[in-house]
Amino acid sequence: MSLPDSLRTVVAVAVYWTAIALGGSVLLPDPTSPLVVVPVLGGGAVVAHAAGTDRLVPLGYAVGTMWVAVLALSVGTGVVDVAAAPDERIAPLADYPGIAAIGTVGLFGVLVVAYAAFVRRDAERDASE
């Protein structure tokens, strides 16, 4: 049994938007911070563009790339915590407002740049066929 294309699109949009909102706001210490607008509304705009131009596959790759950046940031922070102060604890990155803001905007930037790159790659591949 296959799903209609419109239902597949709605499910993909919901999943991608949720993944962008969660991944983009991972550095925010307060979920009611005004910075939550960046991943939620910005992610909504990117998802709307992808759905409107039938570019959900490149968006999926871009969301995966953003989550790789989240993972790299998490692992990097853990390594710095262990290497810089093995006997003490360093405060989480989210406790520093400047870093949280830069990280939130930076993660959204990773999403946008990756989306543009994957769309360009798709367009080049389509043109060569």
Side-chain angles (χ1 to χ4, degrees):
M1 178 174 140
S2 71
L3 296 173
D5 284 342
S6 60
L7 183 58
R8 256 187 252 171
T9 300
V10 168
V11 169
V13 164
V15 168
Y16 290 152
W17 195 2
T18 302
I20 292 167
L22 290 175
S25 62
V26 74
L27 290 175
L28 297 176
D30 180 15
T32 61
S33 167
L35 276 174
V36 80
V37 168
V38 173
V40 172
L41 292 184
V46 173
V47 170
H49 179 269
T53 59
D54 198 27
R55 298 287 188 193
L56 288 173
V57 172
L59 177 63
Y61 290 129
V63 170
T65 302
M66 183 191 76
W67 274 95
V68 167
V70 169
L71 177 64
L73 190 62
S74 299
V75 169
T77 302
V79 168
V80 167
D81 188 17
V82 169
D87 297 334
E88 301 173 20
R89 276 188 57 101
I90 295 177
L93 284 179
D95 287 347
Y96 302 105
I99 292 176
I102 292 168
T104 299
V105 173
L107 287 172
F108 182 71
V110 166
L111 173 76
V112 171
V113 168
Y115 176 61
F118 286 118
V119 165
R120 184 174 48 244
R121 185 191 70 170
D122 249 17
E124 289 171 356
R125 188 179 58 209
D126 290 346
S128 68
E129 289 179 355

